[in-house]
Amino acid sequence: MRSARAIIIRVGERLLSSLPALLGVLVVTFVLMRVLPGDPAVFFASGPNAGQAEIDNLRQRMGLDQPLFVQLMHYLRDVGTGNLGNSLTTGQPVLTDLRQRLPASLELTFTAFTLAVIIAIPLGIAAAMRPNSLIDHGVRFVCTLGVCVPTFVSGLILIFVFYYILGVAPDPTGRLDIFVSAPPSVTSFMLVDFLIAGDLEGWMAAAKQLILPSATMALFVIAPLARITRASMLGVLSSDFVRTARAVGLSSVKINIVYALRNAMLPVLTIAGIMFSTMLGANVLVEKVFSWPGVGSYALDALLSSDYAPVQGFVLLMACIFVIINLVIDVLYGIADPRISVA
Amino acid sequence: MSVITLKHVRWVVASNPLTLVAASGAIIIALIGVLAPWITPQDPLATDVANAMQPPTTAHWFGTDQLGRDIFSRVVAATRIDLAIALSAVSLSFVLGAVIGGVCGYVGGRLDRVVGRVVDVLMAFPLFVLAMAMVAALGNRVENVILATAFINLPFYIRFARAEVNVRRDSGWVEAARAGGENDLSIILFFLLPNILPAMAVQVSLNLGWAILNAAGLSFIGLGVQAPTAEWGIMVAEGARFITSGKWWLVAFPGAALMLSVLFFNLLGDALRDILDPRMRT
């Protein structure tokens, strides 16, 4: 009970202390918007022939004639009330667009992350248990190669092998084959929605669509995760308490998995957090390769057509997710190492 | 001194033969980059629609693309621009990072804490998103891709230089320089920074591969270098449309070039660390 309370207090503290970082991102996006070439008032005016009076009028209405600080306050108010502006390309409020597309990105990222953790941690442990063995060298080789292949190349290689040569993967466009009807939207996560609807065939179709992009993303982060797991496990395995546990005669499963692994998890957690945020960035590339309708490809399309409100919205969204991720890592830290939440 | 160093280099190379491969690979890639305009067998921009989409042959070692351009020549020509972008970005962040980190590590106190906090937050933020936003704000030009790549690398250099300067700040020779009447700025610039240079060089080499990946990633999504120019990221992006019809060579060769250069620079960085890092030198 006490530990649950400690966690809640800790979450509250961290949320408060992440406010300055969020505010910083807000100010930076605002400044970026101001640095942008071109006068928005001219942009929104009826056309190239718009008179100076009309532009001045628009500028006044948009608040562009106010001092910068006042404009910043207006911007903060808008963001606070959920008004992120409108996308010129889709004609919808940015918030609506982001809300529609975020689940696709999250589903992709979560799947990829789970995949990476499931593969990387056992690999790292196996390598640490037998240093300089064949498996250790194999893992090192995979790690060295893994960080060298850009996601957009590995994604295309996977498409070539599994779609073109083997023909086992579906057409690499979007979340669902066009002939499969989407499930009634409950959570907006395809896999979950299909399960709720009890449509196993549809679930398979969605999973097939998801597997290549998430494997692509996972490939890139397996290397750092496995490497840190190996290093951390090696350190823990040579420590005194493991030696004592061995001397006492505990089973090797108990020593390695229960005692050593738990102690080795802290650095892995740190790297996992950084990797998750790397994946959020890599989303943009992977979503482009697989025509995935997520927030990354949305921001990218907007960016390339000089539509800046969605880009700002996207950066803000990333900042918020980033704060949440750090919070989760922090709480997990407390669970993995009780000394932290006591302190 | 130099005999010991030579001996140490030989020991490192002998203990890991891959070092030699990495070093030669990195040198070859750098040479290709420098000599690119003179060694491309064909004009990387010359189109030849009659011979479009040819798989690799003896005439076109890497095949031709959708406009009949020779992919081998394009991959070679792209080496130059990709290395140039990565090198300028890394040098920029190296210089700025060394100075900022050096000053923070030397001065310490509140400045150090504030900069350290900002760097920590920045490092954990999705850096690719940050680079995208910067290019969006500053304008879609090559200079801005360099600036953005330099900016997202900066935190790593600041942190590194800060830590390295911090441990040397109170050492005897710094004390001596101070007693000799050197002011703080010249102690940082002429005593401390040259001293951490070898360690920083390792960082640069480890970082170069990452910078190449970032720059290629940005041009893959259409930022920075623009279409007809031969550049690895763009070539992969253009070839991506044809991968589902089995035209692998459009993507495979620029992709492999990208991968190999990152691999060689990373391995070289590891080797340099083994050679230069005093903690490894026993």
Side-chain angles (χ1 to χ4, degrees), chain B residues 19-58:
Chain B
T19 310
L20 215 58
V21 180
S24 1
I27 291 171
I28 290 173
I29 286 175
L31 274 181
I32 292 177
V34 173
L35 299 174
W38 295 282
I39 55 175
T40 47
Q42 275 150 47
D43 181 356
L45 295 180
T47 57
D48 174 13
V49 184
N51 280 318
M53 293 290 199
Q54 297 289 318
T57 55
T58 42

Short mmCIF file of all heavy atoms in Angstrom, two decimals, chain B residues 19-58:
data_model
loop_
_atom_site.label_atom_id
_atom_site.label_comp_id
_atom_site.label_asym_id
_atom_site.label_seq_id
_atom_site.Cartn_x
_atom_site.Cartn_y
_atom_site.Cartn_z
N THR B 19 39.77 -4.01 -37.46
CA THR B 19 40.19 -2.63 -37.44
C THR B 19 40.79 -2.20 -38.77
O THR B 19 40.48 -1.13 -39.30
CB THR B 19 41.27 -2.44 -36.35
OG1 THR B 19 40.77 -3.02 -35.16
CG2 THR B 19 41.57 -1.00 -36.13
N LEU B 20 41.66 -3.06 -39.31
CA LEU B 20 42.34 -2.74 -40.54
C LEU B 20 41.34 -2.64 -41.68
O LEU B 20 41.40 -1.71 -42.50
CB LEU B 20 43.39 -3.83 -40.84
CG LEU B 20 44.65 -3.33 -41.50
CD1 LEU B 20 45.32 -2.27 -40.65
CD2 LEU B 20 45.60 -4.50 -41.73
N VAL B 21 40.40 -3.58 -41.71
CA VAL B 21 39.36 -3.57 -42.74
C VAL B 21 38.57 -2.28 -42.65
O VAL B 21 38.33 -1.60 -43.65
CB VAL B 21 38.42 -4.78 -42.57
CG1 VAL B 21 37.33 -4.77 -43.63
CG2 VAL B 21 39.19 -6.08 -42.60
N ALA B 22 38.19 -1.92 -41.41
CA ALA B 22 37.39 -0.71 -41.21
C ALA B 22 38.15 0.52 -41.66
O ALA B 22 37.62 1.38 -42.37
CB ALA B 22 37.00 -0.58 -39.74
N ALA B 23 39.43 0.59 -41.25
CA ALA B 23 40.22 1.76 -41.60
C ALA B 23 40.36 1.87 -43.11
O ALA B 23 40.14 2.95 -43.70
CB ALA B 23 41.59 1.68 -40.95
N SER B 24 40.70 0.76 -43.79
CA SER B 24 40.85 0.86 -45.24
C SER B 24 39.52 1.19 -45.89
O SER B 24 39.46 1.99 -46.83
CB SER B 24 41.42 -0.43 -45.83
OG SER B 24 41.64 -1.40 -44.87
N GLY B 25 38.43 0.57 -45.38
CA GLY B 25 37.12 0.85 -45.96
C GLY B 25 36.78 2.33 -45.84
O GLY B 25 36.34 2.96 -46.80
N ALA B 26 37.01 2.89 -44.65
CA ALA B 26 36.69 4.30 -44.44
C ALA B 26 37.53 5.19 -45.35
O ALA B 26 37.04 6.16 -45.94
CB ALA B 26 36.91 4.68 -42.98
N ILE B 27 38.83 4.82 -45.50
CA ILE B 27 39.71 5.63 -46.36
C ILE B 27 39.23 5.54 -47.82
O ILE B 27 39.17 6.55 -48.53
CB ILE B 27 41.17 5.15 -46.23
CG1 ILE B 27 41.69 5.52 -44.84
CG2 ILE B 27 42.04 5.77 -47.30
CD1 ILE B 27 43.03 4.94 -44.51
N ILE B 28 38.88 4.33 -48.25
CA ILE B 28 38.42 4.17 -49.64
C ILE B 28 37.16 5.01 -49.88
O ILE B 28 37.05 5.72 -50.88
CB ILE B 28 38.14 2.68 -49.94
CG1 ILE B 28 39.46 1.92 -50.00
CG2 ILE B 28 37.38 2.53 -51.26
CD1 ILE B 28 39.30 0.42 -50.12
N ILE B 29 36.22 4.95 -48.93
CA ILE B 29 34.99 5.73 -49.11
C ILE B 29 35.30 7.23 -49.16
O ILE B 29 34.77 7.96 -50.00
CB ILE B 29 33.98 5.40 -47.99
CG1 ILE B 29 33.40 4.02 -48.26
CG2 ILE B 29 32.86 6.42 -47.93
CD1 ILE B 29 32.50 3.50 -47.19
N ALA B 30 36.21 7.66 -48.26
CA ALA B 30 36.58 9.08 -48.28
C ALA B 30 37.23 9.44 -49.61
O ALA B 30 36.93 10.50 -50.21
CB ALA B 30 37.55 9.37 -47.13
N LEU B 31 38.09 8.56 -50.14
CA LEU B 31 38.74 8.81 -51.43
C LEU B 31 37.71 8.89 -52.55
O LEU B 31 37.77 9.78 -53.40
CB LEU B 31 39.75 7.70 -51.73
CG LEU B 31 41.15 7.91 -51.15
CD1 LEU B 31 42.06 6.75 -51.55
CD2 LEU B 31 41.74 9.22 -51.65
N ILE B 32 36.76 7.95 -52.53
CA ILE B 32 35.70 7.98 -53.54
C ILE B 32 34.98 9.32 -53.50
O ILE B 32 34.70 9.94 -54.52
CB ILE B 32 34.70 6.82 -53.33
CG1 ILE B 32 35.37 5.49 -53.63
CG2 ILE B 32 33.47 7.00 -54.23
CD1 ILE B 32 34.49 4.28 -53.37
N GLY B 33 34.72 9.77 -52.25
CA GLY B 33 34.05 11.06 -52.11
C GLY B 33 34.84 12.20 -52.71
O GLY B 33 34.31 13.04 -53.44
N VAL B 34 36.15 12.20 -52.46
CA VAL B 34 36.99 13.29 -52.97
C VAL B 34 37.11 13.21 -54.49
O VAL B 34 37.00 14.22 -55.20
CB VAL B 34 38.40 13.23 -52.32
CG1 VAL B 34 39.32 14.25 -52.96
CG2 VAL B 34 38.28 13.47 -50.82
N LEU B 35 37.32 12.00 -55.00
CA LEU B 35 37.60 11.84 -56.43
C LEU B 35 36.35 11.68 -57.29
O LEU B 35 36.45 11.54 -58.51
CB LEU B 35 38.52 10.63 -56.64
CG LEU B 35 39.89 10.70 -55.95
CD1 LEU B 35 40.64 9.39 -56.11
CD2 LEU B 35 40.70 11.85 -56.51
N ALA B 36 35.17 11.69 -56.64
CA ALA B 36 33.93 11.34 -57.34
C ALA B 36 33.79 11.92 -58.75
O ALA B 36 33.52 11.19 -59.70
CB ALA B 36 32.73 11.70 -56.49
N PRO B 37 34.01 13.24 -58.95
CA PRO B 37 33.74 13.79 -60.29
C PRO B 37 34.64 13.17 -61.35
O PRO B 37 34.30 13.20 -62.53
CB PRO B 37 34.06 15.28 -60.13
CG PRO B 37 34.04 15.53 -58.67
CD PRO B 37 34.42 14.26 -58.00
N TRP B 38 35.79 12.61 -60.96
CA TRP B 38 36.73 12.09 -61.97
C TRP B 38 36.60 10.60 -62.18
O TRP B 38 37.13 10.07 -63.14
CB TRP B 38 38.17 12.43 -61.56
CG TRP B 38 38.39 13.92 -61.58
CD1 TRP B 38 38.60 14.70 -62.68
CD2 TRP B 38 38.37 14.80 -60.47
NE1 TRP B 38 38.70 16.00 -62.31
CE2 TRP B 38 38.57 16.10 -60.96
CE3 TRP B 38 38.19 14.61 -59.09
CZ2 TRP B 38 38.61 17.22 -60.13
CZ3 TRP B 38 38.22 15.72 -58.27
CH2 TRP B 38 38.43 17.01 -58.79
N ILE B 39 35.93 9.90 -61.26
CA ILE B 39 35.90 8.45 -61.42
C ILE B 39 34.52 7.91 -61.80
O ILE B 39 34.36 6.71 -61.97
CB ILE B 39 36.40 7.72 -60.16
CG1 ILE B 39 35.62 8.15 -58.92
CG2 ILE B 39 37.89 7.91 -59.97
CD1 ILE B 39 35.99 7.38 -57.69
N THR B 40 33.51 8.76 -61.93
CA THR B 40 32.23 8.23 -62.39
C THR B 40 32.36 7.87 -63.87
O THR B 40 32.76 8.71 -64.67
CB THR B 40 31.09 9.26 -62.24
OG1 THR B 40 31.57 10.50 -62.78
CG2 THR B 40 30.71 9.46 -60.82
N PRO B 41 32.03 6.61 -64.22
CA PRO B 41 32.18 6.21 -65.63
C PRO B 41 31.24 6.99 -66.55
O PRO B 41 31.56 7.24 -67.70
CB PRO B 41 31.85 4.72 -65.62
CG PRO B 41 31.20 4.45 -64.31
CD PRO B 41 31.62 5.50 -63.37
N GLN B 42 30.06 7.36 -66.02
CA GLN B 42 29.13 8.12 -66.84
C GLN B 42 28.62 9.33 -66.06
O GLN B 42 28.75 9.39 -64.85
CB GLN B 42 27.95 7.24 -67.24
CG GLN B 42 28.24 6.41 -68.49
CD GLN B 42 27.49 5.11 -68.49
OE1 GLN B 42 26.30 5.09 -68.23
NE2 GLN B 42 28.17 4.01 -68.77
N ASP B 43 28.04 10.26 -66.80
CA ASP B 43 27.45 11.43 -66.16
C ASP B 43 26.29 10.97 -65.26
O ASP B 43 25.34 10.35 -65.75
CB ASP B 43 26.94 12.40 -67.24
CG ASP B 43 26.33 13.65 -66.63
OD1 ASP B 43 26.23 13.71 -65.39
OD2 ASP B 43 25.95 14.55 -67.39
N PRO B 44 26.36 11.23 -63.95
CA PRO B 44 25.31 10.74 -63.05
C PRO B 44 23.94 11.34 -63.34
O PRO B 44 22.93 10.84 -62.84
CB PRO B 44 25.81 11.14 -61.67
CG PRO B 44 26.84 12.19 -61.89
CD PRO B 44 27.43 11.92 -63.22
N LEU B 45 23.89 12.43 -64.12
CA LEU B 45 22.59 13.06 -64.38
C LEU B 45 22.08 12.76 -65.78
O LEU B 45 20.95 13.09 -66.12
CB LEU B 45 22.70 14.58 -64.19
CG LEU B 45 23.01 15.03 -62.76
CD1 LEU B 45 23.10 16.54 -62.68
CD2 LEU B 45 21.95 14.52 -61.80
N ALA B 46 22.95 12.16 -66.62
CA ALA B 46 22.55 11.93 -68.02
C ALA B 46 21.47 10.86 -68.10
O ALA B 46 21.66 9.74 -67.64
CB ALA B 46 23.77 11.51 -68.84
N THR B 47 20.32 11.21 -68.70
CA THR B 47 19.24 10.24 -68.82
C THR B 47 19.33 9.54 -70.18
O THR B 47 19.89 10.06 -71.13
CB THR B 47 17.87 10.92 -68.71
OG1 THR B 47 17.79 11.93 -69.71
CG2 THR B 47 17.69 11.53 -67.36
N ASP B 48 18.78 8.32 -70.21
CA ASP B 48 18.81 7.52 -71.43
C ASP B 48 17.58 6.61 -71.36
O ASP B 48 17.66 5.46 -70.93
CB ASP B 48 20.11 6.71 -71.46
CG ASP B 48 20.14 5.75 -72.64
OD1 ASP B 48 19.28 5.89 -73.54
OD2 ASP B 48 21.00 4.86 -72.65
N VAL B 49 16.44 7.17 -71.75
CA VAL B 49 15.16 6.50 -71.50
C VAL B 49 15.08 5.15 -72.20
O VAL B 49 14.41 4.22 -71.73
CB VAL B 49 13.98 7.41 -71.90
CG1 VAL B 49 12.66 6.76 -71.55
CG2 VAL B 49 14.11 8.75 -71.21
N ALA B 50 15.79 5.01 -73.33
CA ALA B 50 15.74 3.75 -74.05
C ALA B 50 16.29 2.61 -73.19
O ALA B 50 15.88 1.46 -73.32
CB ALA B 50 16.55 3.87 -75.35
N ASN B 51 17.24 2.94 -72.30
CA ASN B 51 17.85 1.91 -71.47
C ASN B 51 17.41 2.00 -70.02
O ASN B 51 18.17 1.68 -69.11
CB ASN B 51 19.38 2.02 -71.54
CG ASN B 51 19.92 1.38 -72.80
OD1 ASN B 51 19.46 0.31 -73.18
ND2 ASN B 51 20.84 2.05 -73.46
N ALA B 52 16.18 2.43 -69.78
CA ALA B 52 15.72 2.59 -68.40
C ALA B 52 15.49 1.23 -67.75
O ALA B 52 15.20 0.24 -68.43
CB ALA B 52 14.44 3.41 -68.39
N MET B 53 15.66 1.19 -66.42
CA MET B 53 15.30 0.01 -65.62
C MET B 53 16.04 -1.26 -66.00
O MET B 53 15.48 -2.35 -65.92
CB MET B 53 13.78 -0.27 -65.74
CG MET B 53 12.93 0.77 -65.12
SD MET B 53 13.11 0.65 -63.36
CE MET B 53 11.68 1.53 -62.84
N GLN B 54 17.28 -1.11 -66.46
CA GLN B 54 18.06 -2.30 -66.78
C GLN B 54 18.65 -2.89 -65.51
O GLN B 54 19.22 -2.16 -64.72
CB GLN B 54 19.20 -1.93 -67.74
CG GLN B 54 18.75 -1.40 -69.08
CD GLN B 54 18.15 -2.47 -69.94
OE1 GLN B 54 18.66 -3.57 -69.98
NE2 GLN B 54 17.03 -2.16 -70.58
N PRO B 55 18.56 -4.21 -65.34
CA PRO B 55 19.27 -4.82 -64.21
C PRO B 55 20.77 -4.73 -64.45
O PRO B 55 21.20 -4.40 -65.55
CB PRO B 55 18.79 -6.27 -64.24
CG PRO B 55 18.21 -6.48 -65.58
CD PRO B 55 17.75 -5.16 -66.09
N PRO B 56 21.57 -4.97 -63.38
CA PRO B 56 23.01 -4.83 -63.53
C PRO B 56 23.58 -5.61 -64.71
O PRO B 56 23.23 -6.77 -64.93
CB PRO B 56 23.55 -5.40 -62.21
CG PRO B 56 22.44 -5.19 -61.26
CD PRO B 56 21.17 -5.32 -62.03
N THR B 57 24.42 -4.97 -65.52
CA THR B 57 25.10 -5.61 -66.64
C THR B 57 26.56 -5.18 -66.61
O THR B 57 26.96 -4.41 -65.73
CB THR B 57 24.49 -5.16 -67.98
OG1 THR B 57 24.55 -3.73 -68.03
CG2 THR B 57 23.06 -5.63 -68.14
N THR B 58 27.34 -5.63 -67.57
CA THR B 58 28.73 -5.19 -67.60
C THR B 58 28.83 -3.72 -67.99
O THR B 58 29.75 -3.02 -67.60
CB THR B 58 29.56 -6.05 -68.58
OG1 THR B 58 28.78 -6.25 -69.76
CG2 THR B 58 29.93 -7.38 -67.97
#
